[in-house]
Each structure stands twice: as structure tokens, then as C-alpha cells.
Amino acid sequence: MREPVVLLTTLNESYLPQLQVLLTSILLNNPDERFRLYLIHRSFSAEQLEELEIQCQRWGVELFPVRVDEAVFADAPVTRQYPQEMYYRLLAPQLLPETLDRILYLDPDILVINPIRPLWETDLEGNLFAAAAHTGKTEIANDVNRIRLQMENEYYNSGVLLIDMARGREEIKPEQIFQYATEHPKGLILPDQDILNVLFGDRIKPLDDYIWNYDARKYSNYQFRSYGESDVGWVMEHTAILHFCGKAKPWKPLYRHRFGVLYKHYQRLAERFFASTPDVKKEVDA
């Protein structure tokens, strides 16, 4: 039997519906896989965690909620711009059990529409992370961010991260991350992503964003870069991870980008499934 895919997400209770959509997409498109899900949080209630655990049990997903130790963040700069949650994915090696060798972090604003195991089994080749950069002639933001942060490497998106937990426990130091955030209070636009790139950009294995971190806003850009090859049919067949980056989200009104209707489809599937879960609690209590 193959080892389970170990997933990580970090969120507050307001993003629980999006987590449910993400899980629905993962499980429907990876029916032969086993999953473990680690959830790093500080605000979920016992009732919310119990409900989520019941839902995961029905799917056969092992859930491991981890409430953060506030003492770890005693020296962390935390403001409205720098919420505590921004540090969780980078500090996953310090916050999660030492038995974990690797973990796959996914933002909750993601759909997984094809098999994910090839990413899980990616050889990190000694790097701390694997991640995708949104590059190409039309991706001006990548070059702007490289200049802004004075980096030579590409600007990697932190929404999908394969993390070497063993190396991370040795090489990722909370005090280094907190110090950089303290020293650059106005220079970090996307704080956790900026810190990932500045401190660890040379320890990231590049992933193909067409497959593993497709920016759902940029359909026209991908078409241009691929000379028209990556149409909707290509995406549905080849892309594994659709990432709804940016402030506009497909669960909000007036979302205008192409894959919003696909998100709403999985949202409806998730709503139908979760509407039938309350009876599970009765079964567990019995």
C-alpha cells in the first residue's frame, strides 16, 4: 500500500467553507489515494473541529488539528498587515510533529482537478521547498518583485509548497524570519511570500505553474505563452492545481474570470455533501 499524501493548510474559521471545497476537489479527483490533513490554527472552536473531523472521517481523511503555541510568536511582529497566521506555513517544520519527513501545503483558495501524487513524490534534490513562479513575457509582476526585493531567483508563489520537513527543522529559524519582518515593516507587500523568496529563494526547486500552481486569473497569459495550446480543454486534462490568486475570489459576487464557474460547481458539490453530514455525529455519539 502506498504511503498517504500528507497535506497542510493554515486558516481561520472564516475559510472553513473554502477548505471544504478544496477537500471535495482533492478527493473526487484522487479517488484511490489516502490523505492525512494537518490544520494549523489558533481560532477554531472545539465544536468546529469536531464537525470537521466527522466530515473527514466520512471521507477517510485523517485530520490532525494543531493549535499554535502562542509562546512561539512572542517575538514575532504581528499587525493587521502581518497577521500571525502568515508565519505558519514557513514554520511548519517547527510546529508539526518531528515524525513528518515532508508535507504539501495548499492555500484554501485552490481546486485540485487532477492527480496530485506526482507532486507529492517530487524529488526535492536537497532543497527546502518546491514551488512555482508565475513567469513569462506577460508576467510583469514577477520581474517587479525581483527588483523590489533585490533577488536573482524567480519570485515564487507560496500558495503551493512541497516542504522538506527534516531539512526545515534544521535550517528554518523562527528568529531569522521574525527579524526580517521586524526590519522591513513597510517593504513587505505579500509578507509571507516575500519572506519565503528573500530568505529561501535559492533553496526552492521550481515547479511548472501550468500544472502545479495555475493562476486562474491569467488564462489569456497562459494561452499567449503556450501559443494557444493551453486552452480550457488542455487545462482540464493536464493542470492539477488551479489557484484563485488575488483579492477577487470565485465564491464572492461578480467574479469575472474564466474558471469561476468551475469553482461554483465544486462549491455546490461540497454543499450537497456537507448538508448530509450531521447524521454522522449521531452515529459517532451512538
Side-chain angles (χ1 to χ4, degrees):
M1 181 179 295
R2 295 189 299 184
E3 65 172 350
V5 177
V6 185
L7 303 173
L8 167 65
T9 193
T10 65
L11 64 155
N12 58 39
E13 66 276 9
S14 66
Y15 264 80
L16 181 56
Q18 286 69 53
L19 175 59
Q20 294 170 338
V21 175
L22 169 61
L23 287 174
T24 300
S25 70
I26 290 173
L27 294 161
L28 288 177
N29 293 302
N30 293 265
D32 298 324
E33 296 287 1
R34 295 183 299 133
F35 291 96
R36 293 175 182 163
L37 173 62
Y38 283 82
L39 168 63
I40 301 179
H41 72 99
R42 63 168 173 162
S43 59
F44 275 83
S45 68
E47 292 76 14
Q48 289 170 322
L49 290 175
E50 182 181 21
E51 180 182 1
L52 182 59
E53 184 170 10
I54 291 167
Q55 294 161 349
C56 287
Q57 285 176 357
R58 169 171 281 193
W59 274 329
V61 175
E62 297 179 86
L63 176 67
F64 300 91
V66 177
R67 188 178 295 274
V68 297
D69 180 358
E70 296 291 338
V72 174
F73 299 95
D75 297 324
V78 176
T79 65
R80 183 176 181 180
Q81 183 185 6
Y82 297 173
Q84 182 175 296
E85 284 80 3
M86 82 175 197
Y87 300 108
Y88 293 170
R89 75 191 78 180
L90 297 180
L91 295 181
Q94 284 70 36
L95 298 174
L96 297 179
E98 294 186 2
T99 53
L100 294 172
D101 294 324
R102 63 169 48 197
I103 204 163
L104 177 58
Y105 170 83
L106 298 175
D107 270 351
D109 58 348
I110 275 173
L111 289 179
V112 174
I113 61 174
N114 275 303
I116 205 169
R117 180 161 288 274
L119 175 56
W120 172 247
E121 294 181 346
T122 294
D123 185 353
L124 285 168
E125 301 176 347
N127 288 290
L128 283 172
F129 304 96
H134 296 133
T135 60
K137 294 180 180 179
T138 60
E139 291 292 347
I140 299 174
N142 181 69
D143 293 332
V144 170
N145 284 318
R146 292 173 64 189
I147 295 170
R148 174 173 63 86
L149 298 172
Q150 300 180 353
M151 304 183 311
E152 295 185 2
N153 51 270
E154 303 290 358
Y155 184 77
Y156 294 98
N157 184 276
S158 62
V160 178
L161 292 175
L162 183 63
I163 306 172
D164 185 323
M165 298 290 280
R167 291 182 184 275
R169 284 188 286 272
E170 296 177 358
E171 300 183 35
I172 298 175
K173 307 299 181 184
E175 57 271 19
Q176 181 187 20
I177 293 173
F178 301 156
Q179 180 179 352
Y180 188 87
T182 300
E183 293 175 351
H184 300 81
K186 297 182 180 180
L188 303 180
I189 296 175
L190 298 171
D192 57 322
Q193 195 161 275
D194 287 352
I195 291 172
L196 168 75
N197 280 277
V198 171
L199 297 184
F200 308 111
D202 60 349
R203 304 285 280 111
I204 299 175
K205 177 174 180 174
L207 297 174
D208 184 350
D209 63 317
Y210 277 85
I211 307 298
W212 302 118
N213 196 337
Y214 186 106
D215 187 338
R217 301 169 297 179
K218 304 294 182 65
Y219 176 77
S220 296
N221 291 21
Y222 285 109
Q223 281 242 288
F224 179 81
R225 287 164 54 188
S226 66
Y227 300 98
E229 180 183 1
S230 61
D231 57 11
V232 171
W234 188 97
V235 171
M236 296 305 297
E237 183 177 355
H238 295 93
T239 296
I241 295 177
L242 274 176
H243 190 183
F244 294 87
C245 307
K247 293 183 179 180
K249 299 300 183 185
W251 58 87
K252 295 181 179 180
L254 304 179
Y255 185 80
R256 61 182 179 82
H257 299 293
R258 185 174 300 264
F259 294 101
V261 66
L262 182 63
Y263 189 92
K264 290 184 182 300
H265 171 67
Y266 282 99
Q267 188 176 26
R268 179 59 60 89
L269 292 176
E271 289 169 353
R272 288 174 179 171
F273 179 83
F274 287 109
S276 66
T277 57
D279 61 311
V280 181
K281 185 176 188 308
K282 296 179 182 177
E283 295 173 10
V284 173
D285 291 341

